[in-house]
Amino acid sequence: MTNLVHDADMIAASADDWRERDLAVLWHPCTQMREHPNTLPLVPIERGEGAWLIGRDGRRYLDAVSSWWTNLFGHAEPRIARAIANQAMQLEQVILAGFSHAPAVELAEQLLAIAPTQAGREPLTKVFYADNGSAGVEVALKMAFHWFHNRGEIKRTKFIALENGYHGETIGALSVGDIPLYRRVYAPLLCEAMFAPSPDAYMARPGETAADCAERAASGLEAMLQQHAGEVCALILEPLVQCAGGMRMHDPAYLRRARALCDTHGVFMIADEIAVGFGRTGTLFACEQAGVQPDLLCLSKGLTGGFLPLAAVLATQAIYDGFLDDSRERAFLHSHSYTGNPLACAAALASLAIFRDDDVLARNRVTAARMAELAAPFAALPHVAEIRQTGMILAIELARDGNRHTPFDPALRIGLLAYRAALERGVVLRPLGDMLYWMPPYCIDNAQLQLLAQVTAEVIEEVTACV
Ligand SMILES: *Cc1c(COP(=O)(O)O)cnc(C)c1O
């Protein structure tokens, strides 16, 4: 008994020690470091197991945000872990210019075989690798621009993106993002982009349906394309869910209209499925729900099951052919040192095998229905403005009163309060503004979902009690 207590003390002390050592040397992403350690507790993690993260102090945390939307089948999933270990013993890395390896080839073959298709459209036939989502977006933007440049259409220098969209943090990716918090300071550094109205159904006007909203946004896009005919090389968007923009969801009809408008105006459609790909929205890819195929498809995050950084940009044959020439300048000379890293490709292949072996999408339909059931009672709470869901993403929008047009005073930092209240109860929620969401690993079971719902209810009550 005494020993046990002693051990627990030792573990807690070692967690404190790690916090101190961390803050002495690390600069954390997306963090005002001033808030550590007092406002924000830093949580040293020792290991992961399924949907759980296990802290150095022995506490367990349910990872309801899939570790920044990367994890698919749980932490330390043995099949993926083994695939990486086996690959590491054979070939850990090789330059991909002039050289090739089986994992890169097999992964490209498999991705192209499962990529979205559209009747009457030439399929996606080529894969270009990068090593994170933002880099993948850069690749797609540069390809679109360069393709037109190769054809002598040098006036096509602009991109159209959507209001409230997000595509990453590097300068090019940030240029097509519309989230002021990330963008504002860097505005003088960014390249030219135009923002078309978001089809976000939460912004529907009184009496409008989600489909009306999509139609109205599409008309805005059409006007923009007409006004800038010949200046635009691509439209980039996040199909079905604008994740970083607050899990805002739209009607698939928008994607069909956008696809048709891109065709009419001879502009490429870039689908950024970095967050929504690999089953998050209920289908393997979000574009499937609209029956559209983009010209360029960006994948990352869940691509490796959440184990290693990797991105893939899938392109049409027509885009690829536009770079074939005797001159090097017409070639796509973009590269990253770790392009097509064998370990990351092996992880992705293992992840795709799990989709086949475990009938993941069917199981997710059951899990998503259970999520809906468990969240339904929140709709009656006075501070819940909306509950919305697309597949394995469920969002709970909080507001000062049930009326969606009266947000909380940002100074209250409802999101931060909710984050801390959930963490104290052993659940990782990471609200975006006043919006709480569930985006759990697909392996989450019924007991874990019940814990998640219970804690969410307590958190909503606690953080809205004082306003
Ligand atoms: C996360 C994200 C990115 C950026 O990916 P990183 O790997 O974080 O650079 C791009 N687009 C979308 C839609 C994302 O959610």
Side-chain angles (χ1 to χ4, degrees), residues 98 115 175 259 261 270 318 356 363 380 436:
S175 300
R259 175 69 271 186
L261 287 168
I270 305 173
R356 294 190 298 269
R363 186 182 186 277
L436 309 182

Side-chain angles (χ1 to χ4, degrees), residues 54 77 199-200 205 246 251 279 310 339 359 371 412 414 436 454:
I54 296 145
E77 209 292 330
D200 177 4
R205 294 171 183 165
D251 194 290
L310 178 69
T339 298
D359 203 2
M371 283 162 61
L412 289 174
I414 293 286
L436 309 182
Q454 172 65 32

